[in-house]
Amino acid sequence: MSDAEWAVVRDLLPVPGWLSGRGGRPEGYCHRQMIDALRSLVDDGIKWRAMPADFPPWPRVDAFFARWRDTGLVTELHERLREAVRTGEGRSIEPSAGVVDSQSV
C-alpha cells in the first residue's frame, strides 16, 4: 500500500482501545499490515492458510477482517473508495442507472 493510499484509509480505521484510553492490551500488528494482507488475499485469490509469510499469521488477519466486517467498516471503506473513484472520474457519486443481467440455466 502506498503512502497516498494509506493516508486515505488510515482515518477510517478504528482507534485501538489502548490508544484512546479505554484500556486493553496493545495490538500486536499494525492496521496497515492487516490491510496489506487483505489486499493480497483478494488480489491473488489465495486461501487464508496460503498467505505469504511476510504478513501476520492468517488467524490474526481473519480475526481483524471479521471484526471490521461485523462493525460495518469494510462496507464503509468500499463506499468511500467507490465515491472517490467516481468523483475522480468526474461522475456523480451515486450511479444514475443500473443493469441487471441473469443467465438462464
Side-chain angles (χ1 to χ4, degrees):
M1 176 177 282
S2 70
D3 290 338
E5 291 171 332
W6 177 242
V8 171
V9 173
R10 179 184 53 221
D11 295 334
L12 299 175
L13 297 175
V15 176
W18 64 275
L19 276 178
S20 61
R22 294 187 317 242
R25 180 170 81 160
E27 294 176 347
Y29 298 99
C30 169
H31 286 170
R32 187 172 182 171
Q33 287 177 310
M34 293 298 171
I35 296 285
D36 282 340
L38 289 170
R39 288 180 65 187
S40 175
L41 182 76
V42 171
D43 184 45
D44 298 338
I46 59 173
K47 296 184 182 330
W48 284 105
R49 293 176 188 248
M51 192 167 292
D54 55 338
F55 292 121
W58 73 267
R60 293 302 318 140
V61 177
D62 182 41
F64 267 79
F65 174 72
R67 183 173 52 188
W68 290 345
R69 180 196 59 217
D70 294 345
T71 60
L73 180 66
V74 173
T75 304
E76 179 70 20
L77 281 172
H78 179 265
E79 291 298 316
R80 291 215 185 172
L81 293 174
R82 180 186 58 81
E83 290 171 4
V85 168
R86 290 184 64 87
T87 302
E89 293 175 348
R91 299 164 66 184
S92 171
I93 291 176
E94 293 296 325
S96 59
V99 176
V100 177
D101 187 19
S102 64
Q103 183 177 9
S104 57
V105 177

